[in-house]
Amino acid sequence: LVLAALTPAAQASLQLRGNLYASMLHFLGGVRKLAAASADENEVRPRSRLVAGALDVLSNSTLGDRLLETVSADAADASDAWKTVAFSLLDAVAALYASETRPNRVVLFLTHKNFFSSYVGALIRREDQALQLTLQPDPASLNALYIYEAKMAFFIRLAQRQDGADKLIENGVLDVLADCSFLNMRPSASSDAAGFADAFIPARAERFHQLLMPALDLVLALAAKIGRDNVTVWMKVARFVSQHHGVLEAVLKEAALPAHPLSMALLAEAKAASALVFYVARQRAVLDRETALAGSGHVGVTSLHLPMLALLPKLSSSRSWFQRLAPTNDVERAQALVSAALYDDEDATDVERSVFGQQASDLVDAIVQNAIAYAQAVTERPTGSSRMFRPAFAWPIEHNRESDYLPSLALLVAFVRQSLTQITRGRRARDEKLRLAQNSAEMTTADLRKLVSASPYVEVSDDLSTVQMRALASVLLTQQGRRIGRSTSMLVSTVEQALVLLWRHLSFFISVDTAEDSYGGRATGSMALPSAMERDTLRTDASISLPPLLVSLSELKLTNDEFENAATHSSFIQMLVRRIKDLVLRDTSTI
């Protein structure tokens, strides 16, 4: 295939080259699937042969450079349809290097030939206007959208490795994305009400989602590779947030708005937006700069403080958000009819038990984790800092005393209590899945078929034999058990963060010198501070509501086969339990 793409005939015909690119893309896709299947079974040798064979052609001969030269040029200058195929092929080639320790040959080549600069610069020079046109009610063409999706998928792939992330940042991708106007053209919820003359054109909201998510995913992938001390680059990420503040704010507010319907697309956007806000809020230099710009009309990550916190009351302490959730396309409607069977919860509705509901629940869990991590980041006081503690939660620890405006300590208590129940249920479900994976003979044929059909990640034939179904069931059950284990482990970490927040706020609110003495007034930012009488009420309420929760936390035992560094997590949780207990029962502590 490589030789065919480099023949004089192929070099003279873009259509012939494009068809050969598509064939190579199909072949490399098969290589990756077989390699992934081998990796699941820990079969290193077959995977190595498959990947090494492909890499040998691309890396150890002049053919590889000639192919990259041709494909890279077509990605930059070919007609629309073949640009998409060319970028997809570059993405597939770059994927072969994902597990390699040596430098990514694609990154080296694109850097040497200056293609990075060309690809990144085209986003603002040529593609911004074309992408804006794809958001018209009845666009003439969506080719620009398809090229953008393929290019951004390639960029996201490169950003998974440090060398690729560095080159993308070096060539200004963060600055370019910050300046892209199409990312600020989010359509209103009612803009699709009139419908379309062409039934094959996605709704405007769906088209915008296809534009927004790759940009957010790329910025997040780059943020994960930026060192905490790289202030210059973090300022670029903060500028992206500032330039697209209105869109990020709308996404976060709509996710928390009780009257607004929830879709998988909105939840995915809220997950990415909340993660980005958390990443940026951890950077003290960014927050200090925004504090200095306060009053100048500048909007940035600090302006998203309330929308971030507002996610918690609506999504963390109950499942009422399921009432707002509805599938928006045929795939989601089909998934809403298939049971996911990850947990055996008798109280769950049919939607909650479905594949669709489970995927939505995973997104909501991630949003809540991001919001709690954000709250911990912004309330953290660096060692040696003179900055005063700024509470993120209101003081009431009983639900009948809290307001609807801000999350309170009562929400943190409810979240920890609910999370302990989920952790117990998750550990039980994980153990049962892994046990059945080793004993699939216990399952009836009906149970096997139900398990196989419930997996959203595999497509299987209807005529599988019982032996084949048992083998597949063992794989699926092992995957489900590990997935539940990862989710439970993440929930334990989030509980730790929630307990840190609870302890910090209790320490602050109960201290006798907190209110007027510390701030010279009755409020800090948007947070009203408790009066002396309210502090007494808080002490009394905490002494009643917290002891049962602290007992449950004291009884939480983590094991190494379930959680990485279980002893460290257990020790940290027990330390927080002791500090909160000492604070509530003896009213002596420091923040």
Side-chain angles (χ1 to χ4, degrees), residues 430-460:
R430 170 191 173 276
D431 291 344
E432 178 63 12
K433 299 290 184 184
L434 296 180
R435 188 192 68 79
L436 282 176
Q438 300 297 321
N439 301 277
S440 59
E442 296 180 9
M443 301 179 67
T444 65
T445 302
D447 288 338
L448 289 170
R449 290 192 178 280
K450 180 180 178 181
L451 172 65
V452 172
S453 65
S455 175
Y457 308 108
V458 296
E459 295 182 7
V460 296

PDB file of all heavy atoms in Angstrom, residues 430-460:
ATOM      1  N   ARG A 430     -18.114  -5.220  42.471  1.00  0.00           N
ATOM      2  CA  ARG A 430     -16.824  -5.562  41.862  1.00  0.00           C
ATOM      3  C   ARG A 430     -16.430  -6.994  42.198  1.00  0.00           C
ATOM      4  O   ARG A 430     -16.021  -7.769  41.310  1.00  0.00           O
ATOM      5  CB  ARG A 430     -15.749  -4.605  42.376  1.00  0.00           C
ATOM      6  CG  ARG A 430     -14.332  -4.997  42.001  1.00  0.00           C
ATOM      7  CD  ARG A 430     -13.321  -4.153  42.780  1.00  0.00           C
ATOM      8  NE  ARG A 430     -11.945  -4.628  42.565  1.00  0.00           N
ATOM      9  CZ  ARG A 430     -11.376  -5.614  43.236  1.00  0.00           C
ATOM     10  NH1 ARG A 430     -12.077  -6.244  44.180  1.00  0.00           N
ATOM     11  NH2 ARG A 430     -10.129  -5.980  42.977  1.00  0.00           N
ATOM     12  N   ASP A 431     -16.531  -7.343  43.462  1.00  0.00           N
ATOM     13  CA  ASP A 431     -16.157  -8.699  43.877  1.00  0.00           C
ATOM     14  C   ASP A 431     -17.015  -9.751  43.180  1.00  0.00           C
ATOM     15  O   ASP A 431     -16.512 -10.805  42.764  1.00  0.00           O
ATOM     16  CB  ASP A 431     -16.289  -8.835  45.392  1.00  0.00           C
ATOM     17  CG  ASP A 431     -15.253  -8.011  46.148  1.00  0.00           C
ATOM     18  OD1 ASP A 431     -14.268  -7.593  45.514  1.00  0.00           O
ATOM     19  OD2 ASP A 431     -15.443  -7.793  47.353  1.00  0.00           O
ATOM     20  N   GLU A 432     -18.311  -9.455  43.031  1.00  0.00           N
ATOM     21  CA  GLU A 432     -19.208 -10.428  42.404  1.00  0.00           C
ATOM     22  C   GLU A 432     -18.900 -10.566  40.915  1.00  0.00           C
ATOM     23  O   GLU A 432     -18.912 -11.682  40.365  1.00  0.00           O
ATOM     24  CB  GLU A 432     -20.662 -10.001  42.618  1.00  0.00           C
ATOM     25  CG  GLU A 432     -21.699 -10.917  41.974  1.00  0.00           C
ATOM     26  CD  GLU A 432     -21.690 -12.333  42.550  1.00  0.00           C
ATOM     27  OE1 GLU A 432     -21.052 -12.566  43.593  1.00  0.00           O
ATOM     28  OE2 GLU A 432     -22.341 -13.213  41.955  1.00  0.00           O
ATOM     29  N   LYS A 433     -18.606  -9.456  40.240  1.00  0.00           N
ATOM     30  CA  LYS A 433     -18.266  -9.529  38.815  1.00  0.00           C
ATOM     31  C   LYS A 433     -17.003 -10.347  38.607  1.00  0.00           C
ATOM     32  O   LYS A 433     -16.941 -11.200  37.712  1.00  0.00           O
ATOM     33  CB  LYS A 433     -18.063  -8.119  38.256  1.00  0.00           C
ATOM     34  CG  LYS A 433     -19.253  -7.198  38.339  1.00  0.00           C
ATOM     35  CD  LYS A 433     -20.368  -7.606  37.407  1.00  0.00           C
ATOM     36  CE  LYS A 433     -21.509  -6.580  37.454  1.00  0.00           C
ATOM     37  NZ  LYS A 433     -22.656  -7.003  36.629  1.00  0.00           N
ATOM     38  N   LEU A 434     -15.984 -10.090  39.404  1.00  0.00           N
ATOM     39  CA  LEU A 434     -14.726 -10.817  39.245  1.00  0.00           C
ATOM     40  C   LEU A 434     -14.884 -12.290  39.615  1.00  0.00           C
ATOM     41  O   LEU A 434     -14.234 -13.162  39.013  1.00  0.00           O
ATOM     42  CB  LEU A 434     -13.631 -10.165  40.093  1.00  0.00           C
ATOM     43  CG  LEU A 434     -13.247  -8.730  39.682  1.00  0.00           C
ATOM     44  CD1 LEU A 434     -12.159  -8.192  40.605  1.00  0.00           C
ATOM     45  CD2 LEU A 434     -12.786  -8.676  38.232  1.00  0.00           C
ATOM     46  N   ARG A 435     -15.751 -12.589  40.595  1.00  0.00           N
ATOM     47  CA  ARG A 435     -15.996 -13.993  40.949  1.00  0.00           C
ATOM     48  C   ARG A 435     -16.679 -14.723  39.804  1.00  0.00           C
ATOM     49  O   ARG A 435     -16.278 -15.840  39.431  1.00  0.00           O
ATOM     50  CB  ARG A 435     -16.866 -14.065  42.216  1.00  0.00           C
ATOM     51  CG  ARG A 435     -17.019 -15.481  42.781  1.00  0.00           C
ATOM     52  CD  ARG A 435     -18.096 -15.539  43.836  1.00  0.00           C
ATOM     53  NE  ARG A 435     -19.424 -15.319  43.279  1.00  0.00           N
ATOM     54  CZ  ARG A 435     -20.127 -16.249  42.638  1.00  0.00           C
ATOM     55  NH1 ARG A 435     -19.636 -17.479  42.460  1.00  0.00           N
ATOM     56  NH2 ARG A 435     -21.328 -15.972  42.168  1.00  0.00           N
ATOM     57  N   LEU A 436     -17.705 -14.079  39.210  1.00  0.00           N
ATOM     58  CA  LEU A 436     -18.408 -14.705  38.096  1.00  0.00           C
ATOM     59  C   LEU A 436     -17.514 -14.850  36.874  1.00  0.00           C
ATOM     60  O   LEU A 436     -17.670 -15.780  36.085  1.00  0.00           O
ATOM     61  CB  LEU A 436     -19.654 -13.885  37.735  1.00  0.00           C
ATOM     62  CG  LEU A 436     -20.868 -14.047  38.649  1.00  0.00           C
ATOM     63  CD1 LEU A 436     -21.979 -13.093  38.225  1.00  0.00           C
ATOM     64  CD2 LEU A 436     -21.372 -15.489  38.625  1.00  0.00           C
ATOM     65  N   ALA A 437     -16.584 -13.909  36.711  1.00  0.00           N
ATOM     66  CA  ALA A 437     -15.667 -14.004  35.571  1.00  0.00           C
ATOM     67  C   ALA A 437     -14.844 -15.289  35.639  1.00  0.00           C
ATOM     68  O   ALA A 437     -14.486 -15.858  34.599  1.00  0.00           O
ATOM     69  CB  ALA A 437     -14.735 -12.791  35.547  1.00  0.00           C
ATOM     70  N   GLN A 438     -14.548 -15.742  36.854  1.00  0.00           N
ATOM     71  CA  GLN A 438     -13.801 -16.974  37.029  1.00  0.00           C
ATOM     72  C   GLN A 438     -14.704 -18.212  37.066  1.00  0.00           C
ATOM     73  O   GLN A 438     -14.210 -19.338  36.998  1.00  0.00           O
ATOM     74  CB  GLN A 438     -13.002 -16.907  38.336  1.00  0.00           C
ATOM     75  CG  GLN A 438     -12.004 -15.765  38.394  1.00  0.00           C
ATOM     76  CD  GLN A 438     -10.927 -15.896  37.345  1.00  0.00           C
ATOM     77  OE1 GLN A 438     -10.446 -17.000  37.067  1.00  0.00           O
ATOM     78  NE2 GLN A 438     -10.554 -14.772  36.732  1.00  0.00           N
ATOM     79  N   ASN A 439     -16.016 -17.974  37.169  1.00  0.00           N
ATOM     80  CA  ASN A 439     -16.959 -19.095  37.298  1.00  0.00           C
ATOM     81  C   ASN A 439     -18.169 -18.862  36.397  1.00  0.00           C
ATOM     82  O   ASN A 439     -19.323 -18.938  36.850  1.00  0.00           O
ATOM     83  CB  ASN A 439     -17.412 -19.254  38.757  1.00  0.00           C
ATOM     84  CG  ASN A 439     -16.261 -19.495  39.707  1.00  0.00           C
ATOM     85  OD1 ASN A 439     -15.796 -20.606  39.875  1.00  0.00           O
ATOM     86  ND2 ASN A 439     -15.787 -18.410  40.330  1.00  0.00           N
ATOM     87  N   SER A 440     -17.929 -18.559  35.134  1.00  0.00           N
ATOM     88  CA  SER A 440     -19.038 -18.246  34.219  1.00  0.00           C
ATOM     89  C   SER A 440     -19.942 -19.454  33.988  1.00  0.00           C
ATOM     90  O   SER A 440     -21.060 -19.304  33.496  1.00  0.00           O
ATOM     91  CB  SER A 440     -18.491 -17.744  32.882  1.00  0.00           C
ATOM     92  OG  SER A 440     -17.648 -18.719  32.286  1.00  0.00           O
ATOM     93  N   ALA A 441     -19.481 -20.653  34.347  1.00  0.00           N
ATOM     94  CA  ALA A 441     -20.330 -21.839  34.198  1.00  0.00           C
ATOM     95  C   ALA A 441     -21.560 -21.763  35.089  1.00  0.00           C
ATOM     96  O   ALA A 441     -22.555 -22.457  34.846  1.00  0.00           O
ATOM     97  CB  ALA A 441     -19.520 -23.099  34.523  1.00  0.00           C
ATOM     98  N   GLU A 442     -21.517 -20.925  36.127  1.00  0.00           N
ATOM     99  CA  GLU A 442     -22.676 -20.773  37.010  1.00  0.00           C
ATOM    100  C   GLU A 442     -23.827 -20.036  36.335  1.00  0.00           C
ATOM    101  O   GLU A 442     -24.970 -20.117  36.787  1.00  0.00           O
ATOM    102  CB  GLU A 442     -22.268 -19.999  38.270  1.00  0.00           C
ATOM    103  CG  GLU A 442     -21.243 -20.690  39.145  1.00  0.00           C
ATOM    104  CD  GLU A 442     -20.918 -19.850  40.361  1.00  0.00           C
ATOM    105  OE1 GLU A 442     -21.609 -18.830  40.596  1.00  0.00           O
ATOM    106  OE2 GLU A 442     -19.974 -20.209  41.100  1.00  0.00           O
ATOM    107  N   MET A 443     -23.524 -19.303  35.255  1.00  0.00           N
ATOM    108  CA  MET A 443     -24.532 -18.453  34.620  1.00  0.00           C
ATOM    109  C   MET A 443     -25.367 -19.263  33.633  1.00  0.00           C
ATOM    110  O   MET A 443     -24.847 -20.107  32.897  1.00  0.00           O
ATOM    111  CB  MET A 443     -23.856 -17.285  33.901  1.00  0.00           C
ATOM    112  CG  MET A 443     -23.020 -16.398  34.805  1.00  0.00           C
ATOM    113  SD  MET A 443     -22.204 -15.054  33.921  1.00  0.00           S
ATOM    114  CE  MET A 443     -23.628 -14.077  33.426  1.00  0.00           C
ATOM    115  N   THR A 444     -26.662 -18.981  33.624  1.00  0.00           N
ATOM    116  CA  THR A 444     -27.545 -19.633  32.661  1.00  0.00           C
ATOM    117  C   THR A 444     -27.332 -19.031  31.279  1.00  0.00           C
ATOM    118  O   THR A 444     -26.759 -17.941  31.129  1.00  0.00           O
ATOM    119  CB  THR A 444     -29.012 -19.449  33.070  1.00  0.00           C
ATOM    120  OG1 THR A 444     -29.350 -18.049  32.992  1.00  0.00           O
ATOM    121  CG2 THR A 444     -29.251 -19.954  34.494  1.00  0.00           C
ATOM    122  N   THR A 445     -27.826 -19.722  30.269  1.00  0.00           N
ATOM    123  CA  THR A 445     -27.709 -19.214  28.902  1.00  0.00           C
ATOM    124  C   THR A 445     -28.425 -17.875  28.761  1.00  0.00           C
ATOM    125  O   THR A 445     -27.931 -16.958  28.091  1.00  0.00           O
ATOM    126  CB  THR A 445     -28.302 -20.224  27.904  1.00  0.00           C
ATOM    127  OG1 THR A 445     -27.612 -21.473  28.039  1.00  0.00           O
ATOM    128  CG2 THR A 445     -28.148 -19.723  26.471  1.00  0.00           C
ATOM    129  N   ALA A 446     -29.569 -17.738  29.422  1.00  0.00           N
ATOM    130  CA  ALA A 446     -30.318 -16.476  29.356  1.00  0.00           C
ATOM    131  C   ALA A 446     -29.512 -15.335  29.972  1.00  0.00           C
ATOM    132  O   ALA A 446     -29.472 -14.220  29.429  1.00  0.00           O
ATOM    133  CB  ALA A 446     -31.658 -16.626  30.074  1.00  0.00           C
ATOM    134  N   ASP A 447     -28.856 -15.611  31.111  1.00  0.00           N
ATOM    135  CA  ASP A 447     -28.030 -14.585  31.750  1.00  0.00           C
ATOM    136  C   ASP A 447     -26.831 -14.221  30.876  1.00  0.00           C
ATOM    137  O   ASP A 447     -26.426 -13.061  30.804  1.00  0.00           O
ATOM    138  CB  ASP A 447     -27.550 -15.061  33.119  1.00  0.00           C
ATOM    139  CG  ASP A 447     -28.664 -15.085  34.145  1.00  0.00           C
ATOM    140  OD1 ASP A 447     -29.665 -14.367  33.933  1.00  0.00           O
ATOM    141  OD2 ASP A 447     -28.536 -15.814  35.144  1.00  0.00           O
ATOM    142  N   LEU A 448     -26.261 -15.221  30.215  1.00  0.00           N
ATOM    143  CA  LEU A 448     -25.133 -14.952  29.326  1.00  0.00           C
ATOM    144  C   LEU A 448     -25.540 -14.038  28.184  1.00  0.00           C
ATOM    145  O   LEU A 448     -24.839 -13.074  27.848  1.00  0.00           O
ATOM    146  CB  LEU A 448     -24.573 -16.266  28.769  1.00  0.00           C
ATOM    147  CG  LEU A 448     -23.826 -17.173  29.754  1.00  0.00           C
ATOM    148  CD1 LEU A 448     -23.543 -18.524  29.117  1.00  0.00           C
ATOM    149  CD2 LEU A 448     -22.514 -16.512  30.198  1.00  0.00           C
ATOM    150  N   ARG A 449     -26.667 -14.344  27.561  1.00  0.00           N
ATOM    151  CA  ARG A 449     -27.133 -13.516  26.439  1.00  0.00           C
ATOM    152  C   ARG A 449     -27.454 -12.096  26.909  1.00  0.00           C
ATOM    153  O   ARG A 449     -27.162 -11.114  26.205  1.00  0.00           O
ATOM    154  CB  ARG A 449     -28.368 -14.141  25.794  1.00  0.00           C
ATOM    155  CG  ARG A 449     -28.065 -15.422  25.038  1.00  0.00           C
ATOM    156  CD  ARG A 449     -29.239 -15.863  24.167  1.00  0.00           C
ATOM    157  NE  ARG A 449     -28.921 -17.067  23.425  1.00  0.00           N
ATOM    158  CZ  ARG A 449     -28.198 -17.099  22.309  1.00  0.00           C
ATOM    159  NH1 ARG A 449     -27.742 -15.965  21.799  1.00  0.00           N
ATOM    160  NH2 ARG A 449     -27.954 -18.234  21.702  1.00  0.00           N
ATOM    161  N   LYS A 450     -28.034 -11.984  28.088  1.00  0.00           N
ATOM    162  CA  LYS A 450     -28.358 -10.666  28.620  1.00  0.00           C
ATOM    163  C   LYS A 450     -27.092  -9.857  28.874  1.00  0.00           C
ATOM    164  O   LYS A 450     -27.018  -8.665  28.549  1.00  0.00           O
ATOM    165  CB  LYS A 450     -29.143 -10.814  29.928  1.00  0.00           C
ATOM    166  CG  LYS A 450     -29.530  -9.488  30.579  1.00  0.00           C
ATOM    167  CD  LYS A 450     -30.301  -9.728  31.872  1.00  0.00           C
ATOM    168  CE  LYS A 450     -30.644  -8.411  32.545  1.00  0.00           C
ATOM    169  NZ  LYS A 450     -31.369  -8.622  33.825  1.00  0.00           N
ATOM    170  N   LEU A 451     -26.066 -10.509  29.413  1.00  0.00           N
ATOM    171  CA  LEU A 451     -24.804  -9.823  29.696  1.00  0.00           C
ATOM    172  C   LEU A 451     -24.134  -9.368  28.409  1.00  0.00           C
ATOM    173  O   LEU A 451     -23.685  -8.218  28.301  1.00  0.00           O
ATOM    174  CB  LEU A 451     -23.867 -10.764  30.460  1.00  0.00           C
ATOM    175  CG  LEU A 451     -22.430 -10.258  30.673  1.00  0.00           C
ATOM    176  CD1 LEU A 451     -22.427  -9.038  31.573  1.00  0.00           C
ATOM    177  CD2 LEU A 451     -21.562 -11.365  31.263  1.00  0.00           C
ATOM    178  N   VAL A 452     -24.061 -10.250  27.425  1.00  0.00           N
ATOM    179  CA  VAL A 452     -23.398  -9.910  26.167  1.00  0.00           C
ATOM    180  C   VAL A 452     -24.139  -8.796  25.443  1.00  0.00           C
ATOM    181  O   VAL A 452     -23.531  -7.852  24.928  1.00  0.00           O
ATOM    182  CB  VAL A 452     -23.280 -11.165  25.274  1.00  0.00           C
ATOM    183  CG1 VAL A 452     -22.774 -10.778  23.884  1.00  0.00           C
ATOM    184  CG2 VAL A 452     -22.340 -12.176  25.910  1.00  0.00           C
ATOM    185  N   SER A 453     -25.474  -8.867  25.406  1.00  0.00           N
ATOM    186  CA  SER A 453     -26.257  -7.842  24.696  1.00  0.00           C
ATOM    187  C   SER A 453     -26.225  -6.504  25.412  1.00  0.00           C
ATOM    188  O   SER A 453     -26.472  -5.463  24.798  1.00  0.00           O
ATOM    189  CB  SER A 453     -27.708  -8.309  24.541  1.00  0.00           C
ATOM    190  OG  SER A 453     -28.337  -8.432  25.815  1.00  0.00           O
ATOM    191  N   ALA A 454     -25.913  -6.507  26.731  1.00  0.00           N
ATOM    192  CA  ALA A 454     -25.914  -5.258  27.502  1.00  0.00           C
ATOM    193  C   ALA A 454     -24.625  -4.472  27.345  1.00  0.00           C
ATOM    194  O   ALA A 454     -24.546  -3.332  27.806  1.00  0.00           O
ATOM    195  CB  ALA A 454     -26.140  -5.560  28.992  1.00  0.00           C
ATOM    196  N   SER A 455     -23.620  -5.049  26.724  1.00  0.00           N
ATOM    197  CA  SER A 455     -22.350  -4.332  26.590  1.00  0.00           C
ATOM    198  C   SER A 455     -22.420  -3.354  25.438  1.00  0.00           C
ATOM    199  O   SER A 455     -22.684  -3.749  24.300  1.00  0.00           O
ATOM    200  CB  SER A 455     -21.194  -5.304  26.360  1.00  0.00           C
ATOM    201  OG  SER A 455     -20.005  -4.574  26.126  1.00  0.00           O
ATOM    202  N   PRO A 456     -22.201  -2.042  25.703  1.00  0.00           N
ATOM    203  CA  PRO A 456     -22.245  -1.049  24.626  1.00  0.00           C
ATOM    204  C   PRO A 456     -20.961  -1.027  23.816  1.00  0.00           C
ATOM    205  O   PRO A 456     -20.853  -0.287  22.854  1.00  0.00           O
ATOM    206  CB  PRO A 456     -22.424   0.270  25.392  1.00  0.00           C
ATOM    207  CG  PRO A 456     -21.734   0.040  26.689  1.00  0.00           C
ATOM    208  CD  PRO A 456     -21.942  -1.426  27.009  1.00  0.00           C
ATOM    209  N   TYR A 457     -19.981  -1.834  24.191  1.00  0.00           N
ATOM    210  CA  TYR A 457     -18.659  -1.721  23.587  1.00  0.00           C
ATOM    211  C   TYR A 457     -18.330  -2.863  22.627  1.00  0.00           C
ATOM    212  O   TYR A 457     -17.270  -2.872  22.020  1.00  0.00           O
ATOM    213  CB  TYR A 457     -17.588  -1.661  24.681  1.00  0.00           C
ATOM    214  CG  TYR A 457     -17.880  -0.618  25.718  1.00  0.00           C
ATOM    215  CD1 TYR A 457     -18.283  -0.981  27.000  1.00  0.00           C
ATOM    216  CD2 TYR A 457     -17.809   0.739  25.405  1.00  0.00           C
ATOM    217  CE1 TYR A 457     -18.581  -0.012  27.945  1.00  0.00           C
ATOM    218  CE2 TYR A 457     -18.102   1.696  26.334  1.00  0.00           C
ATOM    219  CZ  TYR A 457     -18.486   1.317  27.606  1.00  0.00           C
ATOM    220  OH  TYR A 457     -18.783   2.281  28.547  1.00  0.00           O
ATOM    221  N   VAL A 458     -19.211  -3.872  22.521  1.00  0.00           N
ATOM    222  CA  VAL A 458     -18.925  -4.990  21.631  1.00  0.00           C
ATOM    223  C   VAL A 458     -20.127  -5.273  20.746  1.00  0.00           C
ATOM    224  O   VAL A 458     -21.271  -5.044  21.123  1.00  0.00           O
ATOM    225  CB  VAL A 458     -18.570  -6.267  22.435  1.00  0.00           C
ATOM    226  CG1 VAL A 458     -17.301  -6.081  23.212  1.00  0.00           C
ATOM    227  CG2 VAL A 458     -19.710  -6.686  23.357  1.00  0.00           C
ATOM    228  N   GLU A 459     -19.863  -5.758  19.543  1.00  0.00           N
ATOM    229  CA  GLU A 459     -20.892  -6.220  18.632  1.00  0.00           C
ATOM    230  C   GLU A 459     -20.612  -7.687  18.356  1.00  0.00           C
ATOM    231  O   GLU A 459     -19.521  -8.047  17.905  1.00  0.00           O
ATOM    232  CB  GLU A 459     -20.873  -5.413  17.334  1.00  0.00           C
ATOM    233  CG  GLU A 459     -21.232  -3.943  17.519  1.00  0.00           C
ATOM    234  CD  GLU A 459     -21.239  -3.195  16.198  1.00  0.00           C
ATOM    235  OE1 GLU A 459     -21.100  -3.866  15.152  1.00  0.00           O
ATOM    236  OE2 GLU A 459     -21.378  -1.969  16.221  1.00  0.00           O
ATOM    237  N   VAL A 460     -21.582  -8.539  18.629  1.00  0.00           N
ATOM    238  CA  VAL A 460     -21.358  -9.978  18.495  1.00  0.00           C
ATOM    239  C   VAL A 460     -22.467 -10.586  17.648  1.00  0.00           C
ATOM    240  O   VAL A 460     -23.558 -10.031  17.513  1.00  0.00           O
ATOM    241  CB  VAL A 460     -21.306 -10.668  19.875  1.00  0.00           C
ATOM    242  CG1 VAL A 460     -20.130 -10.185  20.678  1.00  0.00           C
ATOM    243  CG2 VAL A 460     -22.603 -10.417  20.648  1.00  0.00           C
TER     244      VAL A 460
END
